[in-house]
Amino acid sequence: MEETLATPDTTRRSLSPSCSSAVKSRAAGFERRTKRRLSETNATVREDYQEEEEEDEVKEKIEALQRIIPGGTALGVDALFEETAGYIMSLQCQIKTIKVLTSFLQRLDQEDMKFGG
């Protein structure tokens, strides 16, 4: 089966079956390359979208942290992280103090109960 090919001078040339398969092969190769490029472009767009989502998430978390830490709204990110570390250490110290006081008060109550107080 022979196919015809239009040329710029509007004359038609007859293509042999082997030439026809070469044209189809090139077209298939072009199609594969186009699909691959499109796939790569879509992957890049998805990555960009994910990066934007991650950036938005980080911004939201930083804003939440600024609200939690006393004076945090006036701090930049680096200073905020340093202040957060100090604040966590302060809270841990307060927890230990409360535990010691609770234990002390429980012992006092137990001694009072022994002596009928």
Side-chain angles (χ1 to χ4, degrees):
M1 173 185 215
E2 288 191 4
E3 295 183 25
T4 58
L5 177 66
T7 58
D9 61 358
T10 66
T11 60
R12 295 191 177 265
R13 283 190 277 169
S14 178
L15 294 176
S16 67
S18 64
C19 186
S20 175
S21 65
V23 169
K24 288 180 183 176
S25 174
R26 274 189 252 149
F30 175 77
E31 188 176 331
R32 281 192 304 272
R33 286 190 302 275
T34 302
K35 284 182 180 178
R36 186 181 70 237
R37 288 181 187 138
L38 183 59
S39 175
E40 291 170 354
T41 301
N42 287 341
T44 302
V45 169
R46 279 192 300 272
E47 288 172 4
D48 290 345
Y49 180 73
Q50 288 172 344
E51 287 176 5
E52 287 177 16
E53 281 185 336
E54 290 172 2
E55 287 176 10
D56 289 344
E57 234 177 89
V58 168
K59 286 178 184 176
E60 288 175 11
K61 290 178 181 180
I62 288 174
E63 289 170 359
L65 191 58
Q66 286 175 323
R67 288 189 300 269
I68 293 170
I69 302 301
T73 54
L75 301 174
V77 176
D78 291 340
L80 177 66
F81 288 148
E82 287 180 25
E83 189 67 27
T84 300
Y87 189 61
I88 290 171
M89 291 172 56
S90 172
L91 291 173
Q92 287 175 333
C93 185
Q94 290 176 21
I95 290 170
K96 286 179 183 177
T97 303
I98 291 171
K99 285 181 178 180
V100 168
L101 286 173
T102 303
S103 175
F104 176 74
L105 292 173
Q106 285 176 341
R107 275 188 266 137
L108 280 179
D109 282 346
Q110 287 174 353
E111 287 180 16
D112 281 349
M113 294 173 111
K114 284 182 187 176
F115 298 114

